Amino acid sequence: MLDLRTAFDRDGYAVIPGFKSPEEIAALRARAERIVRDFDPSDGAAIFTTKDQAAKSDAYFLESGTSVRCFFEEDAFDADGRLRQPKELSINKIGHAMHDLDAAFDAFSHDARLQTIALALGLARPLVYQSMYIFKQPNIGGEVRWHQDAGFFDTDPSTVTTFWFALEDAGRSNGCLWVEPGGHRSPLRQRFVVRDGRAQMEELDATPWPSAGATPLEVRAGALVVFHGRLPHYSAPNRSAKSRHAYTLHAVDGDAAYSPLNWLQRDARMPARGFV
Ligand code: FE2
């Protein structure tokens, strides 16, 4: 754990290969497949992209913080509004409360080892606010532009920590994560907030996003990447024939003040829980 903390403090992230077993991954993938199979696209299809804030302001997105919803890839539809690929190959992600609402996701997300890591990284009372199953589909997997996760989970002091699990091998060809080592010491550029029921991105700092010096995190299935909330990261579009499934959890310290402006709010009806 000392090495983990050292790497995390120095680089803003740490990689733990082989953290999840093939069996655990298979169980999560099977459950995600099932959720997509049961999803009726006419149900209020929402297209997720960090480029399109209008989509984010959609109630479908805002209500997903306490439910389980599927979001389409931006390029899933042709000009006539028809899916280019089967539904199963068109979903960008599932979000954002599977870890609390679905037994298979609950089992994957609640793990004493994750609690140990969170404590070692300085979260005194870890609370898991969000889960996302990210498909990064073959051919149409969308770009996720440079951002810092702390902009989505503001706490005072800043504590949000990302747990990113590779469910498939992730490489440059299928859109792996790219990070800026040490970039967690840079200021928070943007903050995604809800004011008067409207979701919006606020500009906080004009520090440019990295244009050079980024590192691709090429990892094998099973790896866990933990990273600091202010670490700039992005992932390129996936134009390859291979998907790049990943699962993420976002945890904050329950001892820090959680901003009432954050898009994802929990209350007594569905309180955020820890890793154990
Ligand atoms: Fe992110």
Side-chain angles (χ1 to χ4, degrees), residues 1-271:
M1 278 310 152
L2 210 58
D3 289 352
L4 181 82
R5 180 70 194 249
T6 303
F8 190 88
D9 287 348
R10 182 189 60 219
D11 302 328
Y13 69 95
V15 180
I16 306 171
F19 186 83
K20 287 288 192 182
S21 70
E23 294 73 27
E24 288 173 291
I25 291 171
L28 200 74
R29 291 190 62 163
R31 184 60 197 143
E33 267 171 40
R34 180 72 207 207
I35 291 171
V36 170
R37 209 180 321 142
D38 292 345
F39 167 59
D40 176 2
S42 61
D43 235 21
I47 300 169
F48 176 80
T49 163
T50 50
K51 283 185 273 187
D52 180 5
Q53 298 311 321
K56 278 188 171 167
S57 65
D58 188 333
Y60 183 82
F61 170 77
L62 291 176
E63 291 162 9
S64 70
T66 49
S67 55
V68 177
R69 293 195 169 172
C70 294
F71 296 84
F72 281 109
E73 292 281 2
E74 189 180 8
D75 293 334
F77 299 94
D78 65 18
D80 298 324
R82 282 186 298 257
L83 284 177
R84 293 175 201 274
Q85 309 189 146
K87 181 180 72 173
E88 291 70 21
L89 293 174
S90 301
I91 302 296
N92 171 287
K93 68 171 180 179
I94 309 171
H96 291 94
M98 298 85 77
H99 60 298
D100 283 326
L101 296 173
D102 182 280
F105 278 87
D106 187 327
F108 191 97
S109 310
H110 295 94
D111 179 327
R113 297 175 304 158
L114 294 173
Q115 179 79 359
T116 303
I117 291 169
L119 295 176
L121 297 180
L123 301 182
R125 194 162 60 85
L127 295 177
V128 186
Y129 266 76
Q130 173 179 271
S131 50
M132 290 195 288
Y133 189 105
I134 301 160
F135 291 88
K136 204 75 164 181
Q137 300 283 5
N139 309 310
I140 62 165
E143 175 187 26
V144 178
R145 296 202 302 183
W146 283 105
H147 67 280
Q148 295 156 300
D149 290 352
F152 295 84
F153 294 94
D154 185 29
T155 65
D156 185 16
S158 182
T159 56
V160 69
T161 304
T162 305
F163 294 73
W164 190 101
F165 303 87
L167 305 177
E168 294 185 290
D169 295 348
R172 266 173 275 204
S173 64
N174 64 346
C176 68
L177 270 182
W178 290 70
V179 299
E180 182 198 15
H184 61 303
R185 286 185 286 271
S186 67
L188 185 63
R189 276 87 161 170
Q190 297 174 316
R191 190 169 64 144
F192 184 70
V193 296
V194 176
R195 291 186 194 277
D196 303 322
R198 279 202 48 234
Q200 50 204 284
M201 192 67 92
E202 295 180 343
E203 303 298 324
L204 302 179
D205 189 284
T207 301
W209 296 109
S211 54
T215 297
L217 295 187
E218 299 195 284
V219 295
R220 305 297 301 268
L224 167 63
V225 183
V226 279
F227 57 91
H228 190 285
R230 277 203 312 281
L231 182 74
H233 58 286
Y234 100 105
S235 65
N238 182 10
R239 297 294 176 244
S240 80
K242 275 190 73 229
S243 57
R244 194 227 67 193
H245 291 199
Y247 179 60
T248 65
L249 295 169
H250 286 89
V252 304
D253 190 342
D255 287 349
Y258 190 84
S259 171
L261 298 179
N262 289 336
W263 79 270
L264 202 167
Q265 297 291 330
R266 290 293 191 88
D267 60 24
R269 286 169 296 178
M270 194 172 158

